[in-house]
């Protein structure tokens, strides 16, 4: 359907929540989308926090963190398609979405950066690795995966997992 064609009525019908109740909590459909995105990304962030505390090697925790995000994108493809449509519709109106995207995705970058920093300190990752650059590279690979899934050209999650494992292995000692 696309963000531009969604109305309070269609949201009301899809959720079973009365339109008047939606208006009570949200002034615009954009607020509804922001809240829905925050809800999903918060769930993912909780899972990432749990993995980051596990008693596993840093490379293994990095893999598991990436796999959690991949699984969410794969399982909630329609939701992420709606997010992409939302973001692109805002960009088309001239809105700078960088800070909003950072709010929703920054937690994943932080988890990766912290794990990489820990891995270097523990001697599990190469000391020449720059945590910021490595975290951004892994995040860029995740963005690529997301776009490929949403475009329908990434159907083999196992192959994608292999790419992440290879990249993480390149950082390890």
């Amino acid at each position: 359907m696309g963000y531009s064609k969604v109305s309070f009525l269609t949201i009301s019908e899809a959720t079973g929540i009365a339109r008047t109740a939606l208006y009570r909590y949200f002034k615009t459909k954009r607020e509804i989308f922001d809240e829905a995105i925050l809800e999903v990304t918060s769930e993912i962030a909780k899972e990432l926090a749990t993995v980051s505390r596990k008693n596993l090697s840093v490379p293994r925790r990095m893999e598991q963190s990436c796999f959690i995000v991949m699984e969410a994108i794969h399982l909630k493809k329609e939701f992420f398609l709606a997010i992409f449509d939302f973001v692109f519709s805002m960009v088309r109106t001239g809105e700078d979405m960088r800070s909003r995207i950072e709010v929703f995705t920054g937690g994943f970058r932080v988890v990766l950066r912290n794990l990489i920093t820990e891995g270097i300190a523990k001697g599990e990752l190469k000391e020449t690795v720059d945590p910021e650059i490595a975290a951004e590279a892994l995040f860029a690979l995740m963005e690529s995966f997301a776009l490929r899934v949403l475009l329908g050209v990434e159907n083999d999650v196992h192959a994608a997992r292999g790419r992440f494992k290879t990249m993480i292995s390149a950082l390890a000692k």
Side-chain angles (χ1 to χ4, degrees), residues 72-116:
I73 292 166
H74 184 70
L75 291 175
K76 299 177 185 208
K77 180 180 175 180
E78 293 301 318
F79 178 76
F80 283 96
L81 273 170
I83 292 171
F84 269 67
D85 185 57
F86 166 63
V87 169
F88 289 136
S89 71
M90 293 294 103
V91 169
R92 279 192 297 275
T93 66
E95 178 138 359
D96 183 355
M97 295 295 290
R98 284 178 290 191
S99 63
R100 297 174 79 83
I101 291 170
E102 180 63 30
V103 166
F104 298 128
T105 63
F108 183 51
R109 288 182 171 112
V110 169
V111 166
L112 290 173
R113 188 174 53 246
N114 290 345
L115 284 171
I116 293 165

Side-chain angles (χ1 to χ4, degrees), residues 20 34 73 125:
T20 54
D34 281 346
I73 292 166
L125 300 179

Side-chain angles (χ1 to χ4, degrees), residues 34-150:
D34 281 346
E35 187 62 33
I37 294 167
L38 189 59
E39 180 69 28
V40 169
T41 56
S42 293
E43 287 175 27
I44 294 169
K46 287 176 190 172
E47 289 183 59
L48 294 176
T50 299
V51 167
S52 70
R53 292 187 300 268
K54 284 185 175 180
N55 189 22
L56 299 170
S57 71
V58 169
R60 185 70 184 120
R61 286 184 281 153
M62 290 169 63
E63 285 175 11
Q64 285 188 358
S65 296
C66 291
F67 297 166
I68 285 169
V69 176
M70 291 172 66
E71 195 68 26
I73 292 166
H74 184 70
L75 291 175
K76 299 177 185 208
K77 180 180 175 180
E78 293 301 318
F79 178 76
F80 283 96
L81 273 170
I83 292 171
F84 269 67
D85 185 57
F86 166 63
V87 169
F88 289 136
S89 71
M90 293 294 103
V91 169
R92 279 192 297 275
T93 66
E95 178 138 359
D96 183 355
M97 295 295 290
R98 284 178 290 191
S99 63
R100 297 174 79 83
I101 291 170
E102 180 63 30
V103 166
F104 298 128
T105 63
F108 183 51
R109 288 182 171 112
V110 169
V111 166
L112 290 173
R113 188 174 53 246
N114 290 345
L115 284 171
I116 293 165
T117 301
E118 178 187 339
I120 294 167
K122 286 183 169 182
E124 294 179 33
L125 300 179
K126 297 172 186 171
E127 35 308 306
T128 56
V129 171
D130 180 314
E132 191 69 37
I133 292 171
E136 279 302 311
L138 280 166
F139 189 78
L141 188 58
M142 187 60 63
E143 288 175 319
S144 170
F145 170 78
L147 186 58
R148 292 171 56 86
V149 166
L150 299 179

Side-chain angles (χ1 to χ4, degrees), residues 3 25-36:
Y3 176 77
Y25 296 101
F26 304 101
K27 291 181 179 82
T28 66
K29 68 179 179 179
R30 180 180 178 157
E31 287 180 9
I32 296 171
F33 270 71
D34 281 346
E35 187 62 33

